[in-house]
Amino acid sequence: MTSEKKKFYQVKDVRQLVYSNQISQGTIMSLVHKGKIPTIRMMSRYLIPAYWVEEQLAIARGEKAAQ
């Protein structure tokens, strides 16, 4: 088994990792549809790129300024 870094996250993962389950999945989907969160669509799933997740976590830790 390899320990490759994830390239994409599902909406439920982003809800847990970035938002600590403090906002609903519906709110995240609303941000996705408004273009505030970058995604690719694979069939009926929305996948969020790892770079965006890592960027948001860096902002939360104070390592990067929010844009």
Side-chain angles (χ1 to χ4, degrees):
M1 181 187 222
T2 62
S3 61
E4 286 185 28
K5 256 180 121 173
K6 278 189 167 189
K7 292 180 177 70
F8 295 95
Y9 290 87
Q10 292 182 17
V11 170
K12 65 180 181 155
D13 299 328
V14 171
R15 180 176 180 247
Q16 181 181 14
L17 287 170
V18 178
Y19 298 107
S20 303
N21 292 326
Q22 293 179 358
I23 66 173
S24 71
Q25 197 162 325
T27 300
I28 294 173
M29 288 307 298
S30 177
L31 293 169
V32 165
H33 291 298
K34 290 178 182 177
K36 303 285 184 183
I37 298 176
T39 59
I40 63 163
R41 191 159 181 188
M42 185 74 63
M43 302 290 278
S44 63
R45 291 183 185 225
Y46 288 91
L47 299 175
I48 300 165
Y51 80 83
W52 185 88
V53 173
E54 292 161 8
E55 210 173 75
Q56 298 308 303
L57 293 173
I59 290 168
R61 288 188 299 262
E63 298 169 0
K64 183 177 180 180
Q67 295 179 351

